[in-house]
Amino acid sequence: MLMAEAAQYRRFRAPPDDGQKLVEPPRPALGSVVARNREHLAGIEYDLQGRSLAELTASARQSLVAQAVAYTSRYRNISGRHLTATRSGAPMILSGHQPQLVHPGVWYKNFLLGNLAAEVGGAAIHLLIDSDLCRSASIRVPAGSLQAPYLESVPFDHSAADVPYEQRFVLDETIFTGFAKHVSHLLKPFSAKPLVEELWPLVLDRSDERTLGLRIAQGRHLLEATLGNDTLELPQSDVCRLPEFHWFVAHLLAHLPRFWAAYNDALAAYRVTHHLRNRAHPIPDLAQNEGWLEAPFWMWSDEDPHRRAVFARQRAEQLDISDFHGHTMTLTLSADRDADLAAEQLAAAAGQGVKLRTRALATTLFARLLVSDLFLHGIGGAKYDQVTDDIAGRFFGFALPEYASASATLRLPIVRAVTRSDRLRDVRHQLRELAYHPEQYLGSNRETPAASHLLAKKRRSLKIDKTSANALTRHQAILAANAALQPLVAPRRAELLRERTEIERQLAVDSILSSREYSFCLFPREHFLRLLRE
């Protein structure tokens, strides 16, 4: 069923068990979803500033595949299936993620992408979302020993100000070059022959690439080829230079007041359903400022690579665009005007170094509407793109094609005894009982004169009917009796405290060794292949 007809705001949860996968809709149904989405799109009549949806979709797909083939062929062989995709009108299966060293559950999605595209005879394109900020140049790696592990942050470059991946370059080649050796050394007690030893030479061979993210992504994509995965890749920055993308942007800007309202209304509906009071969740509303409306884009330049929100205002046949920090442009555009001139003006601005990039929801809105028959999300994307569905329904008046979500859980192949967290709850409960009901744990001490005297005092206090007048005195008497009994249960308390400390230590060890968030490059090849075989 199409997303608009499905139950709203479905829950997507990471698989709890090692080696377990999540694919929703289920993997056997995805081929049918692709066919249904293609039929759905073919039946939509919609005008985008003088071009029909069908016309713009056909052109955008041809441009996207051509760009992805050109980009990928710079470093990797292209299969015949992808070379003929532009001419055959083949299905388009897309996914996307930042160019990071992701965990295996995210990486699994890339292989599902290639597998599904092969099944339906289509093109598989993974978008590198390089318009997102590069907030870290390190990964967490378990270090120490199996008995006393700890987490170490291992850098692959110097830290730097947060800028988009598109603008983030390698700052220290020495750190970058030595990354794999550093990781492998730390991992020796935990993982033999981690994939980083295969990955990093491929990454280092991509030294002709400009940015940190693309060097890592191309090395990872080359590694995927050795694992039999057949996909294309393309940076989102290249997508944002396509002529059809400029036309799409012009259409949203031409109707920005209506899109602005649809965007914020969809977020409001999400917050009401999920009882969210913080207007920053799941993402902030689009703002307004003295006649300017915020649009779902970022803007920056090479000279000033700090991305900022985009605002626009309409003046007759002119649309002003600004980030309020020196980047401005004026488009010849209005709601009832074709977008040909505005698209040319956007392309001209891009040629002069002004970088207009989609934010998250607008990124998948473009991808799902114009260039894919199925978009594969991870858990986070699947959760929040339900808002995109609502925005599209309010703005376009029809449902977007259905998307799918995929993830997996894989833990490092470490043989260890699993500590039961329920035992910790039992120990904590007993310690509380020792404080408030020590009489239950007196054992042979119960018969001593001192214990008998204290127990009698406590029983007398408990038998007193509590009133507002005596409540404090009664409570203090019970506490005093409990405190006086504590030396008699001290050995049991010491035993429980030792057990609690040991269980907490073991659980901390388990938390480090069993995390599903470690980068795929920490895992041995054969261990990761379990996900592809099972």
Side-chain angles (χ1 to χ4, degrees), residues 226-270:
T226 72
L227 296 167
N229 197 32
D230 181 16
T231 62
L232 301 173
E233 299 211 341
L234 185 66
Q236 177 66 12
S237 53
D238 287 359
V239 176
C240 293
R241 286 190 281 267
L242 297 178
E244 297 81 6
F245 174 80
H246 293 142
W247 200 282
F248 168 78
V249 170
H251 179 63
L252 295 192
L253 291 175
H255 300 271
L256 184 57
R258 191 162 57 83
F259 185 86
W260 185 92
Y263 191 102
N264 287 350
D265 287 349
L267 286 171
Y270 185 93

Side-chain angles (χ1 to χ4, degrees), residues 1 10 21 35 37 44 64 79 99 111 118 120 144 147 152 169 212 235 284 291 390 419 437 487 517:
M1 96 181 32
R10 293 175 296 164
K21 293 172 286 194
N37 283 347
I44 295 174
L64 185 78
S79 69
F111 294 85
V120 300
Q147 294 72 32
E152 183 162 326
F169 308 103
L212 171 73
D390 195 6
T419 303
H437 303 286
E517 300 298 324

Side-chain angles (χ1 to χ4, degrees), residues 137-144 150-157 174-190 194 196-197 200 521-522:
S138 64
I139 64 170
R140 296 191 313 162
V141 178
Y150 61 91
L151 288 175
E152 183 162 326
S153 180
V154 180
F156 44 84
D157 195 16
T174 300
I175 294 176
F176 197 69
T177 300
F179 171 72
K181 184 177 180 180
H182 189 177
V183 169
S184 293
H185 174 72
L186 293 176
L187 276 176
K188 280 183 180 179
F190 311 103
V196 70
E197 296 176 359
W200 216 245
C521 71
L522 305 190

Side-chain angles (χ1 to χ4, degrees), residues 22-89:
L22 165 74
V23 181
E24 177 62 36
R27 174 65 185 90
L30 293 185
S32 298
V33 175
V34 171
R36 192 162 61 245
N37 283 347
R38 286 169 68 82
E39 181 180 358
H40 172 63
L41 278 174
I44 295 174
E45 294 184 5
Y46 185 86
D47 178 81
L48 293 94
Q49 306 306 116
R51 297 179 74 177
S52 70
L53 177 62
E55 175 194 353
L56 192 61
T57 294
S59 178
R61 291 173 178 225
Q62 186 173 24
S63 296
L64 185 78
V65 174
Q67 284 290 93
V69 166
Y71 170 80
T72 307
S73 63
R74 292 190 342 219
Y75 62 91
R76 181 176 153 170
N77 292 331
I78 307 298
S79 69
R81 173 164 56 87
H82 286 115
L83 290 172
T84 60
T86 56
R87 299 191 298 273
S88 64

Side-chain angles (χ1 to χ4, degrees), residues 410-450:
L410 194 67
R411 296 186 170 90
L412 289 171
I414 299 171
V415 178
R416 64 190 188 282
V418 178
T419 303
R420 294 175 53 190
S421 58
D422 57 348
R423 177 55 188 162
L424 179 61
R425 288 193 296 271
D426 291 343
V427 169
R428 287 172 173 169
H429 175 72
Q430 287 186 48
L431 285 168
R432 188 179 187 281
E433 290 293 290
L434 283 178
Y436 295 101
H437 303 286
E439 63 273 15
Q440 298 178 9
Y441 300 90
L442 290 176
S444 59
N445 288 331
R446 178 180 291 273
E447 306 304 325
T448 64

Side-chain angles (χ1 to χ4, degrees), residues 249-250 252-257 287 289-297 299 309-335 337 342 345-346 349 354 356:
V249 170
L252 295 192
L253 291 175
H255 300 271
L256 184 57
N289 184 3
E290 298 181 350
W292 294 78
L293 294 181
E294 188 177 4
F297 307 112
M299 189 155 59
V310 172
F311 287 78
R313 67 177 179 184
Q314 190 75 49
R315 294 183 298 117
E317 292 283 297
Q318 304 296 314
L319 186 82
D320 298 327
I321 301 174
S322 176
D323 68 351
F324 298 153
H325 283 81
H327 298 122
T328 62
M329 66 178 86
T330 298
L331 306 180
T332 305
L333 182 66
S334 63
R337 182 188 179 99
Q345 291 167 333
L346 286 167
V354 177
L356 189 70

Side-chain angles (χ1 to χ4, degrees), residues 114-149:
N115 180 272
L116 176 61
E119 176 189 314
V120 300
I125 302 177
H126 178 69
L127 302 178
L128 303 168
I129 311 301
D130 56 351
S131 53
D132 278 4
L133 295 179
C134 179
R135 298 186 182 277
S136 174
S138 64
I139 64 170
R140 296 191 313 162
V141 178
S145 66
L146 287 170
Q147 294 72 32

